[in-house]
Amino acid sequence: MEVSQIVFLILTVTLLGAAALVVTTKNLFHAALYLIVSFFSVAGMYVLLEAGFFAAAQLLVYIGAISILFIFAVMLTRGTALITPLNSQAGAVGVMSAIMFAILAVFLWPAPIRLQEVILGGFRLLRGGTYGGEPWQFVPNNADTAAVVNNATLRLGAALGDFAQYGALLLLSGALLLVGVIGSIWVARERKIADTRADRSEAAADARHEAQLESEAEAREAAALPAGAHAASVEGQH
Amino acid sequence: MLNGIPLHWFLLVAAALFCLGLFGALARKNAIAVLMGVELMLNAVNINLLAFWRYVNPAGTGGLAFTAFVFIVAAAEAAVGLALIISVYRNTQSIDPEKLDQMKL
């Protein structure tokens, strides 16, 4: 077994273990910390795939920004962190996810099983085609490929800045981020007066109470004054 | 670095991560944990994109550019989603998705 394979298996164990803890842990703060561990393992996967730029971006964007956002959200919603972790449909969802993974694994598994070729070949035969699919064309692992991979970040930057390729999309996604950030500030802002639900119901109760006090005071005034004086005062008003 | 790791190892790990994220997004009783499941699914997609870029077409930039856009959209999604959750928590003192049925007919 080679070193890269051992590294891959270690990363796999930490990634899937941390992800399983993220989706099952009761304490949400611990779930956020396990999420950081799984992000780290994904960054290791990117290093194995020789995509160094994205490993760095994973550290900066996911671990540096998104994880902190999650931790802040967990802290700002205190008191809800210890409710039961799974809802009533968890069993059905677990079975469905397991079946989905089994189907994916059957179709992704290589040579020894070949179940996917049996199924896909059967479909093709049914539709009048030939048995057997087209395999992916892998690039050879030689010096040319290494040179191409090594300047990938350079070519990515050129492609993102080139308006014939992804330039317009990059500008659009910048606008998307700006609008998203401004919108989230607007949505999560502190409401001052009678803006939240509790505030509104409180204000309505206050108004009702004041109206009642006023009408009571008027009734007391009317009772205290003699009838003639009351009539005179009413006439005087007119 | 890549010597000895076949492509389907990456694809299988990404599939397992995606299914775990799906379970988290559908089965958790807390809106923040639902967003965590969504983030796990996005990471699985990124692993797939970069694996196919590296094994099938490293001379192109399609896989890299797509991964970059997934990063951007994931960041915007996390910011907006968590702001919504905080706003909902201020209004109802609860972030259980099952209790958020005020907009039901």
Side-chain angles (χ1 to χ4, degrees):
Chain A
M1 206 170 207
E2 292 174 35
V3 180
S4 62
Q5 289 179 330
I6 296 170
V7 172
F8 180 89
L9 291 179
I10 293 171
L11 284 175
T12 300
V13 170
T14 55
L15 172 59
L16 296 183
L21 285 169
V22 166
V23 297
T24 51
T25 309
K26 200 173 175 188
N27 189 333
L28 214 56
F29 193 81
H30 292 173
L33 297 181
Y34 289 128
L35 193 69
I36 294 178
V37 174
S38 58
F39 285 160
F40 242 115
S41 314
V42 172
M45 293 271 174
Y46 294 166
V47 171
L48 278 183
L49 284 166
E50 298 175 355
F53 170 70
F54 286 100
Q58 175 88 4
L59 289 185
L60 289 175
V61 175
Y62 274 97
I63 300 175
I66 293 182
S67 303
I68 302 303
L69 265 183
F70 272 109
I71 289 175
F72 260 96
V74 171
M75 286 171 157
L76 286 175
T77 57
R78 232 31 189 165
T80 57
L82 289 174
I83 53 180
T84 48
L86 299 176
N87 61 20
S88 55
Q89 62 189 4
V93 170
V95 171
M96 190 201 73
S97 299
I99 291 173
M100 194 171 151
F101 176 69
I103 293 172
L104 286 172
V106 163
F107 276 83
L108 295 174
W109 206 268
I113 293 185
R114 290 291 184 199
L115 193 54
Q116 81 272 31
E117 284 193 6
V118 176
I119 298 170
L120 282 180
F123 274 127
R124 281 199 206 88
L125 281 180
L126 280 179
R127 292 170 57 192
T130 54
Y131 187 88
E134 287 193 15
W136 290 313
Q137 298 291 324
F138 294 143
V139 292
N141 228 347
N142 55 23
D144 287 348
T145 307
V148 161
V149 168
N150 274 340
N151 72 358
T153 307
L154 213 60
R155 284 183 291 117
L156 173 67
L160 285 177
D162 183 4
F163 276 89
Q165 298 185 53
Y166 304 109
L169 281 178
L170 189 73
L171 288 183
L172 268 181
S173 57
L176 172 77
L177 258 183
L178 182 68
V179 171
V181 170
I182 293 175
S184 54
I185 291 172
W186 177 254
V187 166
R189 76 194 188 282
E190 190 92 40
R191 265 85 157 170
K192 287 292 179 222
I193 331 150
D195 217 354
T196 64
R197 230 170 175 234
D199 283 350
R200 270 201 300 278
S201 58
E202 213 171 276
D206 281 350
R208 273 199 303 277
H209 189 59
E210 262 175 41
Q212 198 186 351
L213 283 184
E214 245 173 60
S215 65
E216 274 175 16
E218 268 177 28
R220 237 180 288 122
E221 224 173 281
L225 284 172
H230 183 62
S233 77
V234 169
E235 261 170 35
Q237 274 176 11
H238 285 289
Chain B
M1 193 69 98
L2 209 54
N3 291 332
I5 306 178
L7 172 62
H8 67 266
W9 284 24
F10 284 105
L11 299 185
L12 282 171
V13 169
L17 186 63
F18 186 90
C19 291
L20 279 171
L22 184 69
F23 175 79
L26 293 181
R28 293 287 291 212
K29 215 172 157 55
N30 191 314
I32 296 176
V34 171
L35 271 187
M36 287 180 186
V38 174
E39 292 298 330
L40 288 181
M41 288 198 279
L42 286 169
N43 268 291
V45 171
N46 276 345
I47 291 177
N48 262 4
L49 287 171
L50 284 178
F52 275 113
W53 163 76
R54 176 63 185 80
Y55 280 86
V56 179
N57 187 17
T61 52
L64 295 172
F66 226 106
T67 311
F69 289 124
V70 171
F71 265 72
I72 295 168
V73 173
E77 171 256 334
V80 174
L82 292 173
L84 280 174
I85 288 172
I86 289 171
S87 177
V88 164
Y89 176 76
R90 283 221 186 100
N91 277 298
T92 64
Q93 308 299 315
S94 160
I95 47 174
D96 184 355
E98 287 179 1
K99 288 187 184 148
L100 300 178
D101 53 1
Q102 290 98 332
M103 290 174 77
K104 249 188 194 169
L105 282 176

